[in-house]
Amino acid sequence: MTTTQQTVCQTEFQPSELGFGAGALSGTYDKIESHWPVEACREALRGGINVFDTSPYYGASEFVLGDALEAVRDEFPRSSYYIQTKVGRYGVTTKDFDYSAQRVTDSVKESMRRLRTDYLDLVLCHDVEFVKFEDVVGPGGALEALFKLKAEGKIKYVGCSAYPLPVLLRIAEHQQAKGQPLDVILSYCHYTLQNTKLAEYTPKFRAAGVRYVANASPLGMALFRDAGPPQWHPAHAELRAAAKSCADVVRENGLNISELASMFSFTGRDIFQLNTTYIGLENKEDVQKALAAWKRVKEREQNLEKPTETETKVMDEVRELLAPFKDYSWPSPTPRELA
């Protein structure tokens, strides 16, 4: 990433290594002050972040992001960044999903209005594990509608997002077999301090023709932060307790758990050719911290620097605390979401 970017490549997706997770702007995690979104988006763009991720499911996120990007348009025109949004999920439970071609088509139009744009760079089927396989890949389903919109030039790249990696791989391999491979896969919470399964699956996604693989929620949906996760977080009590112990150990050694977790996730770029890591950002300070953590990782890689003794010691303790839950994936959908 570089400083202020006025344009991004329009013929090929060239995302920044750090992506802006705009779901955090919905207020789902914390109360958002009215001036935060504009300041956060401006700081992100000035810092070289060029891709924003959102969804109709994330409360008012699309409205808030659209207004914020409109407010900085004089400095950063629409051509200077990519917008990624989603279709199919509109509420908490499985009853709130609609993967029909008509709803998907309407959803894309609605998202464009909210985001104040006449095209979308990337559109993903949201949480594909919640619906039947045929609803995603079959005739009259979501992917058929998205690829039609891509052919019409309304969107540029098509993909899927989900929590269970095997579900994503099955869809990717199916799409490759039918000669219409996915452009993008977005996984979340699968390259964190606790779970690194995405490193194992990314080569399989590439083999299935997927061009871009992204990781979201490097903090495990706020599992690895001093404040802890929100009440609705799907992690069981034991994992929550272990994550809290990790935060305590890190803090006692003069470090910050969120920064440590972010830096760990950013290493995926070189370890298994991860394209982008999306991190939820609420305000200007969040953006600055995320960029600083990313820059530290890159500088260390370039200078062949090793972690400090304190960092090595802390990471060893963190690994030990999380060892009982290494690569554990919670159920998705959860019982609450199946209600």
Side-chain angles (χ1 to χ4, degrees), residues 187-209:
S187 167
Y188 67 96
C189 295
H190 274 114
Y191 198 69
T192 71
L193 292 172
Q194 175 262 326
N195 191 321
T196 59
K197 294 293 284 185
L198 183 57
E200 174 187 324
Y201 272 79
T202 293
K204 300 176 183 178
F205 291 138
R206 303 285 190 205

Side-chain angles (χ1 to χ4, degrees), residues 21 37 45 67 89 94 105 143 167 169 183 197 225 229 251 318:
L45 287 161
D67 288 348
R89 183 169 193 176
T94 52
T105 302
L143 285 178
V167 174
L169 183 59
D183 298 310
K197 294 293 284 185
R225 65 174 188 169
R251 191 186 317 108
V318 166

Side-chain angles (χ1 to χ4, degrees), residues 25-26 54-65:
L25 299 179
S26 67
T54 183
S55 169
Y57 173 55
Y58 301 155
S61 174
E62 286 187 322
F63 288 105
V64 174
L65 179 61

Side-chain angles (χ1 to χ4, degrees), residues 14-31:
Q14 295 181 353
S16 50
E17 295 181 25
L18 177 59
F20 192 118
L25 299 179
S26 67
T28 302
Y29 295 92
D30 303 292
K31 183 180 181 297

Side-chain angles (χ1 to χ4, degrees), residues 164-221:
L165 293 167
V167 174
L168 286 169
L169 183 59
R170 183 188 178 198
I171 292 171
E173 290 176 340
H174 175 88
Q175 287 299 125
Q176 184 190 44
K178 70 186 291 186
Q180 195 178 57
L182 297 177
D183 298 310
V184 186
I185 284 289
L186 173 62
S187 167
Y188 67 96
C189 295
H190 274 114
Y191 198 69
T192 71
L193 292 172
Q194 175 262 326
N195 191 321
T196 59
K197 294 293 284 185
L198 183 57
E200 174 187 324
Y201 272 79
T202 293
K204 300 176 183 178
F205 291 138
R206 303 285 190 205
V210 178
R211 297 169 64 191
Y212 307 101
V213 177
N215 174 47
S217 301
L219 307 188
M221 292 196 301

Side-chain angles (χ1 to χ4, degrees), residues 172-296:
E173 290 176 340
H174 175 88
Q175 287 299 125
Q176 184 190 44
K178 70 186 291 186
Q180 195 178 57
L182 297 177
D183 298 310
V184 186
I185 284 289
L186 173 62
S187 167
Y188 67 96
C189 295
H190 274 114
Y191 198 69
T192 71
L193 292 172
Q194 175 262 326
N195 191 321
T196 59
K197 294 293 284 185
L198 183 57
E200 174 187 324
Y201 272 79
T202 293
K204 300 176 183 178
F205 291 138
R206 303 285 190 205
V210 178
R211 297 169 64 191
Y212 307 101
V213 177
N215 174 47
S217 301
L219 307 188
M221 292 196 301
L223 193 62
F224 297 108
R225 65 174 188 169
D226 283 323
Q231 183 275 332
W232 50 260
H233 198 286
H236 53 59
E238 293 82 3
L239 177 52
R240 285 168 175 262
K244 183 181 184 304
S245 296
C246 290
D248 293 341
V249 165
V250 172
R251 191 186 317 108
E252 290 163 4
N253 283 273
L255 302 175
N256 178 274
I257 187 65
S258 296
E259 292 179 12
L260 194 71
S262 297
M263 290 176 68
F264 175 82
S265 293
F266 296 151
T267 63
R269 176 77 174 195
D270 292 315
I271 292 174
F272 59 100
Q273 287 72 59
L274 181 68
N275 290 100
T276 300
T277 298
Y278 290 98
I279 186 168
L281 302 169
E282 295 179 344
N283 51 49
K284 180 178 179 179
E285 289 71 27
D286 282 354
V287 175
Q288 291 171 338
K289 289 177 182 177
L291 283 168
W294 175 80
K295 287 175 182 176
R296 277 201 299 277

Side-chain angles (χ1 to χ4, degrees), residues 54-59 62 85-87 89-90 107 111 114 126:
T54 183
S55 169
Y57 173 55
Y58 301 155
E62 286 187 322
T85 193
K86 308 178 185 75
V87 295
R89 183 169 193 176
Y90 308 101
S107 186
S111 290
R114 296 183 193 114
H126 199 171

